[in-house]
Amino acid sequence: MELNELLKKLNNGETVGENREAVEVMRSYSREAQKITMEINTKYHDPEELAELFSELIGKPVGEDFGLFPPFYTDFGKNITIGDRVFINAGCKFQDQGGITIDDGALIGHGVVLATLNHDFAPEKRQQLHPAPIHIGKNVWIGANATVTPGVSIGDNAVIAAGAVVNRDIPANVIAGGVPAKVIREL
């Protein structure tokens, strides 16, 4: 199975885990992601080098004026899309198999987790993975240590409070926070 075929399955929300070939391809790219993130995280790189390494990690160019403060972690890497003027702060963890899109001008705070996979609830099927994409709109600010769960979209200009757990869509132009996150007020 080629990467494009795996990405098609993941982006269509198809369960992964029943097909051993798909799992092995995913693991292969996970090992590649480990090598690249190790390079990102273990020595100093100027901003241009970080953008090049991140582009290698995701398999496509990052947007203009990309910013990253390492360390950064991902367990796949090939299903991330980054717009222009995106900044990712230190200690973020992206589980991107289900797809992560971060639009122009978004700011991702320290220690943010973006998780696009769920395991099956049935114990006998627990090894199966259910992907669902995360979409971060334009000019979104996600505060430190927030977690965004599979299938969530955050609307343009929204602010997510530090420590929030975002388990449902957040509309544009609001501040949301809490566990689970809810709209606190409009901007």
Side-chain angles (χ1 to χ4, degrees):
M1 175 179 290
E2 297 292 324
L3 176 60
N4 288 339
E5 187 179 349
L6 176 60
L7 287 172
K8 184 176 179 183
K9 286 178 69 69
L10 293 167
N11 292 334
N12 286 334
E14 294 179 32
T15 298
V16 176
E18 300 162 338
N19 179 329
R20 295 306 308 162
E21 185 181 9
V23 170
E24 287 307 314
V25 170
M26 199 162 56
R27 286 182 179 163
S28 169
Y29 283 99
S30 294
R31 289 187 289 278
E32 180 182 309
Q34 289 172 359
K35 289 178 188 176
I36 297 169
T37 56
M38 196 66 143
E39 174 68 21
I40 288 170
N41 296 338
T42 58
K43 66 181 182 180
Y44 175 79
H45 298 281
D46 64 37
E48 294 78 19
E49 290 172 322
L50 283 173
E52 288 176 24
L53 285 165
F54 207 90
S55 292
E56 180 183 349
L57 175 68
I58 67 174
K60 57 192 158 220
V62 295
E64 292 183 28
D65 298 321
F66 171 75
L68 172 69
F69 283 179
F72 173 82
Y73 305 95
T74 186
D75 58 1
F76 185 61
K78 298 302 184 204
N79 211 359
I80 300 170
T81 301
I82 302 287
D84 294 337
R85 300 173 320 283
V86 168
F87 176 73
I88 301 169
N89 218 324
C92 290
K93 299 173 180 119
F94 289 11
Q95 181 192 52
D96 65 289
Q97 289 89 337
I100 295 172
T101 301
I102 303 175
D103 288 344
D104 297 347
L107 305 173
I108 311 298
H110 288 90
V112 167
V113 174
L114 303 179
T116 66
L117 291 176
N118 273 319
H119 289 275
D120 204 278
F121 289 118
E124 66 277 4
K125 295 181 179 181
R126 191 68 39 90
Q127 297 298 316
Q128 294 180 5
L129 303 170
H130 303 285
I134 290 173
H135 180 241
I136 309 299
K138 292 179 181 176
N139 303 310
V140 168
W141 172 23
I142 301 178
N145 296 311
T147 298
V148 181
T149 63
V152 168
S153 291
I154 299 175
D156 294 349
N157 308 311
V159 175
I160 305 300
V165 175
V166 185
N167 66 352
R168 64 182 64 105
D169 290 353
I170 300 296
N173 303 305
V174 299
I175 297 174
V179 179
K182 61 182 179 182
V183 173
I184 297 169
R185 70 177 177 92
E186 291 185 15
L187 290 172

